Amino acid sequence: MLLVAAATAVRALLLDRTWFYLDDFALITQANEHPLSPMRLTEPYFGHLMPAGRLLADLVVASGRFEYATAMIELVTLFATAGLAVLHLLVTLFGSRRAILAPLAYFLASPLLIPATSWWAAGINHLPALTATAMALAAFVRHLRDNCRRDLVATVGWLLAGLCFTELTMFAYLSLAFLALGYFATGTLGQRTRQVWDKHRPGVVALGLTALGYLAVYFQRAWETLPTSAKIDWSAFFTNAGLVSLPTAAVGGPGGWHVAWAAQLEAHPSGLTRLVAYAVVATVVTISMRTRDCAKRAWLLPLGQGAVCVVLVAKTRVLFGPGIALDLRFYTPLALGITLALGLAFLPVVGATETAERRSSHWLIDRPAPQVVAVAAFTVFAWSSASAFPLLHLGERAPRPWFDGVDRSITEHPGPIELQDLAAPARVIAPPEGLYSHLLAPYGNRLIFPVVVQDDWYVVDNTGRLVHPDLDVARRAQAPAPANCGFPVGSDRTVPLDGPVFGYGWRVRITYTSGRETGATISVGNVDTDISLSAGEHVLELPGDAEYESVRFSGVDPAAGLCLSEILVGTTQLPE
């Protein structure tokens, strides 16, 4: 319990140096814009089916505008819960003994948990999946021992709970099968399978139906992969995972990180770290095999999980290249998988048919001092890797200063604010969620996003200040001759531009004077926009995304005396 509390405190300290980032804003935006409903809860997000995670996003939205304190409380609570669940699993497997503190400490400090404990959008799914997996495994082990139906129901219940957060809970099935076949049966693989089937048939059927039912829903609702024409460099993916990211994370690394792009935070260990990782992993595996019976099989669990992780990330993220296999965010299940392997390789499983029994002694594992030193070294290196994680050191790329600037500007500005619906800086999040109308929805009716803006409208600059936009002019209307009115409009007039316009991103800015208020229809190419023109001198702006060489005004009250002083077509520019 003290280990869990201490590790939770450290994670909370590190988490306090982060804020909402990228996918976080997408989840908040979607929770803001759509009412709570079964349809929204089961809406996939980049291939993830996460109804319970969306409920946690709703809780953050309900707590206030971009209230990160609520998000932090969620992650800290979820991490502590995961730690307690793993402790419960270790006690269930190996009994209440001092030796389980080593694998528990390993799990709590595992670098494979860094993304999930630093990035809210990942943590609200991955951490509950680990908790559910650990609790399901503990219940299943009890079921394997006594064949109690209540434990089977608990196993299925925990799996369903985890699957409500993320499909990653399906990794639990690898561990369930591994424990049943590897430790609660004997003989060849075929014989083991028959033994488990004969003795635990209801459990096999119940778990199988649960898995099939979920997969049917998942593949129908959420599975996203790339066209079969996409080429996957399997060798590069497995090399990056098997020789760089996973072995260094297994010993507390990577130590260093590389930001390939905003959402791809790659492990970047030094050459020395990699060599030390290879040596440590080889030493631990070798010692376990030389001193314990049945130790070799323990390492098959993380190897199998790692292989599945690489296949999944390659199939779903191949467009990002093999470098994506260096991102530890895609290996969260291995934090528990390696922890289990350490325990299963050295400690006997209570009530198991086959288990790790001591064959010979070795000073590195049978004396307390070397164990304490090894765990301490791993923990220090792991926490240093966590403190170096890029989300804790965003600097100029951090989104929070921009939001703080927006909040100050809106607070200082009286009344409703007309905003041209542009996108926030790329460091915040890309469109469509990055559009002001989506991203700033928590400000409610303080912000207005009309199609046509007039006179006093704003955009947000890179510091979060409300500013009047400039226009980088590409086309303009040339008045036929010097006159008091450049382009008088009766009821209908087409004003030619000095060149053609086509494509997207254009804005049409019109300066006009009218003797009285009048309605009008402004036609840009094949796009018609109805507008009310106010009396007096004004400036309006509207989208110009079409193909055209002129701007037409129609439906104007001839008595209004409408006069167009200037028509400009260009792109929005933030003032210097």
Side-chain angles (χ1 to χ4, degrees):
M1 295 287 287
L2 289 177
L3 275 178
V4 175
T8 302
V10 176
R11 295 286 185 189
L13 288 174
L14 294 176
L15 184 62
D16 191 47
R17 295 163 56 185
T18 65
W19 203 65
F20 293 118
Y21 187 69
L22 289 184
D23 297 284
D24 299 348
F25 297 118
L27 294 179
I28 291 172
T29 294
Q30 292 165 14
N32 261 313
E33 294 184 338
H34 304 289
L36 185 62
S37 67
M39 182 60 69
R40 181 172 70 77
L41 292 179
T42 57
E43 183 70 21
Y45 182 76
F46 281 99
H48 301 301
L49 194 59
M50 42 180 286
R54 289 191 179 276
L55 286 175
L56 291 180
D58 285 344
L59 182 60
V60 169
V61 169
S63 67
R65 185 187 304 131
F66 301 113
E67 187 57 64
Y68 194 59
T70 305
M72 285 183 59
I73 291 172
E74 288 182 353
L75 285 186
V76 170
T77 302
L78 292 173
F79 176 77
T81 303
L84 293 174
V86 171
L87 173 60
H88 174 67
L89 172 60
L90 293 174
V91 171
T92 302
L93 279 169
F94 309 113
S96 182
R97 51 195 300 175
R98 187 173 300 175
I100 65 172
L101 295 178
L104 176 63
Y106 184 92
F107 172 81
L108 294 171
S110 174
L112 295 168
L113 296 179
I114 292 174
T117 53
S118 306
W119 194 344
W120 175 68
I124 57 175
N125 299 308
H126 292 195
L127 294 176
L130 289 174
T131 299
T133 298
M135 295 303 293
L137 286 173
F140 189 60
V141 167
R142 294 193 299 271
H143 175 69
L144 292 173
R145 288 174 182 154
D146 54 28
N147 217 15
C148 178
R149 186 166 298 180
R150 181 178 60 187
D151 293 323
L152 176 60
V153 172
T155 302
V156 173
W158 280 111
L159 289 173
L160 290 175
L163 290 171
C164 287
F165 286 93
T166 176
E167 68 283 351
L168 286 179
T169 307
M170 288 299 296
F171 274 86
Y173 278 88
L174 292 176
S175 302
L176 294 171
F178 180 75
L179 287 173
L181 296 172
Y183 295 88
F184 288 86
T186 188
T188 64
L189 180 60
Q191 292 171 335
R192 291 171 186 269
T193 303
R194 284 193 294 273
Q195 290 170 29
V196 172
W197 174 253
D198 291 341
K199 188 175 181 181
H200 304 288
R201 188 172 304 173
V204 174
V205 172
L207 292 172
L209 291 176
T210 302
L212 290 175
Y214 177 80
L215 289 175
V217 173
Y218 176 75
F219 279 108
Q220 181 180 8
R221 290 286 299 162
W223 173 251
E224 293 180 7
T225 186
L226 295 169
T228 54
S229 59
K231 183 175 177 57
I232 300 176
D233 186 349
W234 290 107
S235 175
F237 272 94
F238 275 100
T239 297
N240 283 339
L243 297 181
V244 182
S245 55
L246 291 180
T248 55
V251 300
W257 303 86
H258 168 67
V259 181
W261 64 284
Q264 188 169 325
L265 312 176
E266 300 176 354
H268 189 63
S270 65
L272 178 60
T273 300
R274 292 175 63 180
L275 288 175
V276 170
Y278 301 154
V280 170
V281 171
T283 298
V284 172
V285 172
T286 300
I287 290 176
S288 70
M289 291 167 57
R290 294 185 61 180
T291 63
R292 299 292 190 270
D293 292 326
C294 305
K296 185 187 301 184
R297 71 187 61 173
W299 306 110
L300 294 177
L301 178 59
L303 283 175
Q305 289 180 328
V308 173
C309 285
V310 175
V311 170
L312 290 175
V313 73
K315 292 291 289 183
T316 59
R317 301 290 191 274
V318 66
L319 284 182
F320 300 108
I324 196 72
L326 298 170
D327 193 329
L328 299 187
R329 180 164 44 112
F330 300 100
Y331 305 108
T332 305
L334 269 81
L336 180 56
I338 299 176
T339 298
L340 281 176
L342 284 169
L344 293 171
F346 292 101
L347 300 175
V349 177
V350 177
T353 304
E354 293 184 356
T355 186
E357 297 291 349
R358 180 184 295 184
R359 184 190 309 138
S360 61
S361 298
H362 194 287
W363 66 274
L364 278 175
I365 58 171
D366 293 315
R367 295 180 182 177
Q371 292 184 34
V372 171
V373 171
V375 171
F378 169 82
T379 301
V380 170
F381 191 24
W383 291 129
S384 68
S385 295
S387 65
F389 191 57
L391 291 192
L392 280 65
H393 306 278
L394 289 174
E396 294 181 352
R397 295 178 292 110
R400 185 169 188 174
W402 186 82
F403 280 93
D404 288 342
V406 170
D407 192 69
R408 285 193 300 270
S409 293
I410 293 176
T411 301
E412 295 168 358
H413 197 288
I417 303 166
E418 283 195 3
L419 274 180
Q420 181 183 331
D421 198 11
L422 297 183
R427 71 178 187 273
V428 178
I429 189 172
E433 287 86 359
L435 292 174
Y436 300 160
S437 56
H438 297 292
L439 191 61
L440 303 181
Y443 288 95
N445 57 12
R446 286 296 315 280
L447 304 180
I448 304 171
F449 301 93
V451 175
V452 180
V453 290
Q454 294 202 62
D455 296 329
D456 192 27
W457 77 91
Y458 296 86
V459 294
V460 184
D461 70 8
N462 288 327
T463 66
R465 292 183 303 119
L466 292 172
V467 294
H468 293 104
D470 294 331
L471 195 69
D472 185 8
V473 179
R475 297 285 185 265
R476 66 178 70 236
Q478 299 289 346
N484 292 331
C485 177
F487 302 97
V489 180
S491 60
D492 190 310
R493 178 163 188 171
T494 298
V495 180
L497 301 171
D498 61 359
V501 179
F502 58 89
Y504 298 92
W506 299 109
R507 302 286 294 179
V508 179
R509 182 174 292 184
I510 302 166
T511 303
Y512 71 91
T513 303
S514 181
R516 65 172 67 172
E517 184 176 348
T518 177
T521 299
I522 303 176
S523 301
V524 178
N526 59 358
V527 179
D528 297 333
T529 304
D530 295 326
I531 180 69
S532 176
L533 302 176
S534 302
E537 184 175 354
H538 302 278
V539 178
L540 66 82
E541 193 173 288
L542 68 158
D545 297 337
E547 184 174 350
Y548 52 98
E549 296 185 18
S550 60
V551 178
R552 182 188 175 200
F553 287 75
S554 58
V556 178
D557 181 358
L562 178 63
C563 175
L564 308 179
S565 305
E566 187 177 44
I567 300 179
L568 305 174
V569 180
T571 55
T572 299
Q573 296 291 311
L574 298 178
E576 296 293 337

